[in-house]
Structure formats: C-alpha cells, structure tokens
Amino acid sequence: RFSHGGGAVQDRVVEMLGIGHLLQRRPAALSGGERQRVALGRAILSSPRLLLMDEPLAALDQARKDGILPYLERLRDETGLPILYVSHSAAEVARLANTIVLLRAGRVAASGPAAQILSDPATAPLLGPREVGAILSARIEAQEADGLTRLASAAGPLWLSRIDSATGAVLRLRILAQDVMIALDRPTGISALNVLAGVVRDLTPDDGAMLVRLEAGSQTLLARITTRSAQALALHPGKPVHAVLKAVSVAPGSIGSGSDPSISRHAPPARDSRSV
C-alpha cells in the first residue's frame, strides 16, 4: 500500500492518478482498473528512466479501459517520462502514442509520427480496414445548448456530441476512414454537420475498396469508399473535394486529451501486428 507523508512527489503522483481514496484499501478490495492505477503509481515512484507497458489494459473490459485511459494521458503529458507502450489495440495507440512502430513477424513494418502512420494507406493491411483512419488535433470552442460541442481545427470547424472537457482544451480525435464520405461540391440539405474542404492527395486500392487520402488545411484525413464511387467522382490527386462526417461518428473512446506533436497546433479561430 501507499503510505501518507511520502512527500510532494508522492502527493503529485497520487493526485495525477486519482488514487487518494484508495490509499487505505487492501489490494484484494481494488477493481482491475484501480489495481492498474496503483501499479502505475508504484512504478513512477521507483524513479524509472523509462516505463515499459506491455498491453496494460488487455485484461480490462471496455468501461474500465475508458476509465484508465485519461490517467495514462496525464502520465504521458505531465511526467515527461518516456513510455514504451505495447498494444494490439489501434484505438489505444491512437489516443496515447506520439510515435508508432508497427511490428509484423518480429520485424519493423513501419515507424513514424502517430498521425502519419495511422493515416498512411500503406499501413492499412497491418491495422485492418475497420481500424485505419486519421488523427486530428482540435480545440474546444464552446458547449452549445443543443448538446453539441463546437471545436476548431486546422481542417475546419467541427461539431461532435458533447465532450466533457473545458473550453480551450486541446483534444486528439481519431477519425476512422470508414466514417468519412466524399462529395465534389459542398452538400446542402443533409443531416451530417461536419463538412471539411480538402484536396485529394492520393488514392490506394484496398481489398476491393479505395483509400482516399485528403489534405484538409494542414491536417490529413482518410476516407474508405468503394472503387465504383471513386470512379464515379473521377477522383485524382489534386482534385478539390469535401469530406463529410456525422457528429455521432466519433465515439467517446476515440477522443483523447492533448495533441500529437506531429500535428499542427495552430487551429484557426472560431491485427497480427503489435503497435508501440
């Protein structure tokens, strides 16, 4: 157990991980997520030079994973401690990683900044068609009366289902390629709230479909559409298009705190693979 009176460092770790109310409880009385947070605290207080986390959330259900991910984000952002995080979960890696190394059969298949690797069509076979997507950095501008949160990003304004973070908070959004539609002209009379202007960067065939990489402002989006749709729209590199995204497409688990250093921070005003 932790003890009281461990000094300022211990107090900071206890506050960061939200475990103050657990200090007098025995290990057997802790839930799986609580045990993971206490284990993190003990590891940090040992003054490591690097933290190795090998699938730390694999044994937890989704609710407990969602509960501990914000603490891992704080650990990443507030301690300055290098973390080697090993996971099969693209969702976890997208929320936490700044740099990604994809391994296949024990060899490095791809490596680089998180936003670059996750939106690269070449990594789609490693991630799987339902996991490939892009990371956007956005800042909360307002909580609106109808339950939506308005955000500003370098790609354009976004509206998502309410996000429980303060105005001004910088977030990392994972946008799955399967949730992005493409239109040649800015559509009107549709229910989707998010329409982002962009330019086609490249097209990559992907298991009977087409991955279309778009440049929207200084950020990258990825759309997975049928080959027939790509042909009907006569898509080609350099063609102006609009990316369409429903507000409800971005699940709460795809929204994390902080931005990837590889993404522009200047928003305009208002698998058999293992990932590390």
Side-chain angles (χ1 to χ4, degrees):
R1 294 195 302 174
F2 280 86
S3 63
H4 293 294
V9 174
Q10 177 176 299
D11 291 343
R12 180 185 173 210
V13 171
V14 167
E15 187 277 330
M16 180 179 65
L17 296 175
I19 56 177
H21 64 295
L22 306 177
L23 297 184
Q24 296 304 314
R25 286 165 57 179
R26 294 287 181 181
L30 302 178
S31 69
E34 290 169 342
R35 291 181 187 182
Q36 292 287 56
R37 283 151 57 194
V38 170
L40 278 173
R42 295 182 64 180
I44 296 168
L45 290 174
S46 70
S47 301
R49 288 186 294 175
L50 179 144
L51 203 58
L52 171 60
M53 305 180 72
D54 190 356
E55 302 202 61
L57 307 185
L60 304 180
D61 59 31
Q62 191 58 51
R64 288 185 171 85
K65 288 181 182 181
D66 291 341
I68 199 171
L69 278 167
Y71 295 104
L72 295 179
E73 289 169 340
R74 291 192 67 181
L75 176 62
R76 175 198 65 202
D77 296 338
E78 297 181 19
T79 66
L81 183 64
I83 302 171
L84 186 62
Y85 190 96
V86 182
S87 178
H88 285 85
S89 170
E92 291 174 27
V93 171
R95 280 189 62 166
L96 298 173
N98 293 329
T99 301
I100 293 177
V101 178
L102 289 176
L103 302 179
R104 178 171 56 188
R107 295 182 179 274
V108 174
S111 64
Q116 174 185 316
I117 293 297
L118 292 176
S119 63
D120 186 349
T123 66
L126 301 174
L127 298 171
R130 294 186 178 276
E131 300 292 349
V132 67
I135 298 176
L136 296 186
S137 178
R139 183 183 65 251
I140 293 180
E141 286 204 322
Q143 302 289 1
E144 303 197 336
D146 59 359
L148 295 178
T149 297
R150 185 175 81 247
L151 304 101
S153 78
L158 292 165
W159 284 264
L160 299 180
S161 299
R162 185 171 295 278
I163 300 168
D164 292 327
S165 296
T167 300
V170 178
L171 303 177
R172 182 191 295 207
L173 311 177
R174 182 181 180 226
I175 310 295
L176 293 177
Q178 64 185 13
D179 292 331
V180 179
M181 297 185 295
I182 295 178
L184 296 183
D185 300 311
R186 187 177 185 88
T188 59
I190 61 171
S191 61
L193 296 175
N194 301 305
V195 181
L196 303 174
V199 176
V200 176
R201 177 175 171 183
D202 52 46
L203 299 95
T204 304
D206 178 48
D207 193 23
M210 189 71 70
L211 285 173
V212 184
R213 185 159 45 174
L214 310 173
E215 295 296 338
S218 61
Q219 302 201 72
T220 300
L221 281 170
L222 201 62
R224 191 172 193 269
I225 63 176
T226 64
T227 302
R228 179 178 296 186
S229 294
Q231 293 172 345
L233 296 175
L235 298 181
H236 59 78
K239 185 162 190 171
V241 295
H242 291 82
V244 181
L245 176 71
K246 295 197 299 182
V248 296
S249 292
V250 183
S254 295
I255 301 172
S257 66
S259 62
D260 188 317
S262 65
I263 303 172
S264 171
R265 295 177 183 267
H266 303 293
R271 87 215 163 268
D272 186 36
S273 304
R274 291 164 70 85
S275 307
V276 180

